[in-house]
Amino acid sequence: MSEICKLSCVIAVLILFMGTANAQSKSVGCTFCFAGTGITYEYDMGNGSFAELQLRAETSSMFIYDRPLPGLSASFTWNMIFASMESRNGNKINLFAGPGLAAGAVEDMKAARGLFFGLKGRIGGECEFQRKVNISICLSPVIGAHFRKREGMMTMLPYRFGLLNSIMPEVGVKYAF
């Protein structure tokens, strides 16, 4: 079984597990940026925090090095809301930040496809509209290691696209339920 299939199975189990809790609000949607396009699931943890699970097609190497296929990554972040404003008509803006983990099968700068694991940070803002639509913008740096097989040996290098992609904002559109 390939690494991508294993990673997809783990993500599916986590989404099903998080979807079974029905007391808190949830949202599901898509994120878009130069680094990739993804599917995201947010779960309100209460007390001004929320968890986010994201499965993303990593497209950086397609644009920069003209590769034919994107990589695949998954991440989990636990975000704390540190500022919130509400308008008279019920729309709300939340500013948030939080730590997390990321893993995937991707190509790194001038390196062949391999696995990466790392710590992920997330900082941004989200606008919650009365019509159950949320729009967000955030930065998500990843500091980690990229493992690849080279000349029959496993090598480990820093995951350079993780920091390069962090300077490009990620825009998300989600439906809250």
Side-chain angles (χ1 to χ4, degrees):
M1 199 173 186
S2 74
E3 293 88 13
I4 294 175
C5 288
K6 289 177 188 177
L7 188 60
S8 298
C9 290
V10 169
I11 297 299
V13 169
L14 286 173
I15 289 173
L16 289 173
F17 174 72
M18 291 180 80
T20 58
N22 48 5
Q24 305 292 347
S25 64
K26 304 170 219 36
S27 62
V28 66
C30 294
T31 58
F32 308 96
C33 70
F34 174 79
T37 301
I39 299 169
T40 183
Y41 174 80
E42 284 183 7
Y43 174 75
D44 185 5
M45 306 287 283
N47 298 328
S49 66
F50 63 94
E52 182 192 40
L53 187 63
Q54 186 179 72
L55 183 62
R56 184 161 97 169
E58 299 284 344
T59 57
S60 299
S61 61
M62 292 176 66
F63 295 128
I64 294 173
Y65 299 114
D66 199 28
R67 302 285 195 246
L69 294 172
L72 183 67
S73 71
S75 65
F76 173 82
T77 55
W78 180 54
N79 303 283
M80 286 77 58
I81 297 171
F82 60 85
S84 185
M85 300 170 275
E86 191 166 341
S87 68
R88 283 183 264 164
N89 59 359
N91 298 332
K92 197 177 195 183
I93 295 176
N94 296 320
L95 302 177
F96 60 87
L101 299 171
V106 298
E107 292 182 22
D108 200 11
M109 286 183 172
K110 300 178 184 175
R113 186 173 301 267
L115 298 176
F116 84 90
F117 300 97
L119 298 174
K120 180 177 182 173
R122 193 161 180 252
I123 185 165
E126 182 170 69
C127 186
E128 299 176 4
F129 295 102
Q130 282 291 94
R131 305 252 184 226
K132 297 192 177 218
V133 172
N134 299 347
I135 296 176
S136 64
I137 186 164
C138 67
L139 297 174
S140 301
V142 175
I143 298 174
H146 186 256
F147 301 90
R148 64 187 171 110
K149 203 170 193 176
R150 184 177 176 181
E151 299 173 7
M153 297 183 66
M154 186 66 80
T155 60
M156 179 181 82
L157 296 169
Y159 179 50
R160 292 173 278 180
F161 267 150
L163 290 176
L164 176 66
N165 293 341
S166 69
I167 61 173
M168 298 168 213
E170 178 179 285
V171 176
V173 178
K174 297 173 213 69
Y175 172 74
F177 55 97

